[in-house]
Amino acid sequence: AQKITQTQPGMFVQEKEAVTLDCTYDTSDQSYGLFWYKQPSSGEMIFLIYQGSYDEQNATEGRYSLNFQKARKSANLVISASQLGDSAMYFCAMREGTGGFKTIFGAGTRLFVKA
Amino acid sequence: AAGVIQSPRHLIKEKRETATLKCYPIPRHDTVYWYQQGPGQDPQFLISFYEKMQSDKGSIPDRFSAQQFSDYHSELNMSSLELGDSALYFCASSPRMGTSGDTQYFGPGTRLTVL
């Protein structure tokens, strides 16, 4: 069965430093997509980055990059040059391949950026 | 850019009452998803629609029903409300069907409180 594991309930990072949020997943499907979302205290869910299971290059979107290690089934989010506005809950999510609509989320990691 | 619209943003109901949540997807998005996020929890997939047909079903209680209309907006109907239904309900939309890479863009959510 599908499963997403985020083992860091909370993380602290100093402003302007980089931080890695961990995500491991479990699936028997060969085709799947991995997503990261940010949820600030205001509650909205903001899409950050996507990685496909067949993508050979790690995804990057501005200050966000996804460290995709397929053999280890990990999809860690790296935020470079942290900003105070990055303080939020971060969710890793997975959607299985062809024809699938269901997306499952991990428990989330709350990131605190210190000034 | 246009985003997913949800209404109402806040809703307070009594136990055993009914509630209807509405979702208007991003223009030209034909797939809609509903999620329930309890306090301090990750979003749980409820149901999805593609081209006005139910495409996938998750942990949606039998007391809940949903549909997608000809203009692609969707409504989630909730009956016999229970205290445990108090949650943030997200609608998301995506532009295509059935591929793992379809990014879901979330609406701001409807916060339902059942008293």
Side-chain angles (χ1 to χ4, degrees), chain B residues 12-71:
Chain B
I12 300 174
K13 290 287 186 178
E14 300 277 342
K15 278 171 52 178
R16 292 180 288 277
E17 286 190 325
T18 61
T20 297
L21 309 186
K22 296 185 179 183
C23 169
Y24 298 86
I26 292 170
R28 291 180 294 283
H29 283 196
D30 47 23
T31 306
V32 167
Y33 314 76
W34 286 97
Y35 292 86
Q36 177 192 58
Q37 186 179 28
Q41 297 180 2
D42 55 287
Q44 296 292 314
F45 172 79
L46 293 178
I47 196 167
S48 63
F49 292 88
Y50 168 67
E51 283 292 344
K52 292 149 278 183
M53 300 281 289
Q54 181 182 308
S55 52
D56 212 339
K57 196 170 180 181
S59 50
I60 184 169
D62 292 340
R63 299 178 289 107
F64 294 6
S65 65
Q67 58 182 322
Q68 185 180 33
F69 295 86
S70 58
D71 64 351

Side-chain angles (χ1 to χ4, degrees), chain A residues 31-35 37 39 42-47 50 52-53 89 91 95-108, chain B residues 31 33 35 37 41-43 45 48-50 55-58 88 90 94 96-108 111:
Chain A
S31 173
Y32 50 88
L34 296 157
F35 302 83
Y37 287 88
Q39 188 174 38
S42 52
E44 71 264 39
M45 195 74 74
I46 302 166
F47 165 72
Y50 159 77
S53 59
M89 181 72 90
F91 290 101
R95 177 175 175 175
E96 283 185 337
T98 308
F101 292 83
K102 182 178 180 180
T103 301
I104 62 164
F105 285 75
Chain B
T31 306
Y33 314 76
Y35 292 86
Q37 186 179 28
Q41 297 180 2
D42 55 287
F45 172 79
S48 63
F49 292 88
Y50 168 67
S55 52
D56 212 339
K57 196 170 180 181
L88 187 56
F90 284 109
S94 69
R96 296 175 299 174
M97 68 82 73
T99 65
S100 57
D102 297 340
T103 296
Q104 297 172 44
Y105 294 91
F106 282 71
R111 187 166 297 281

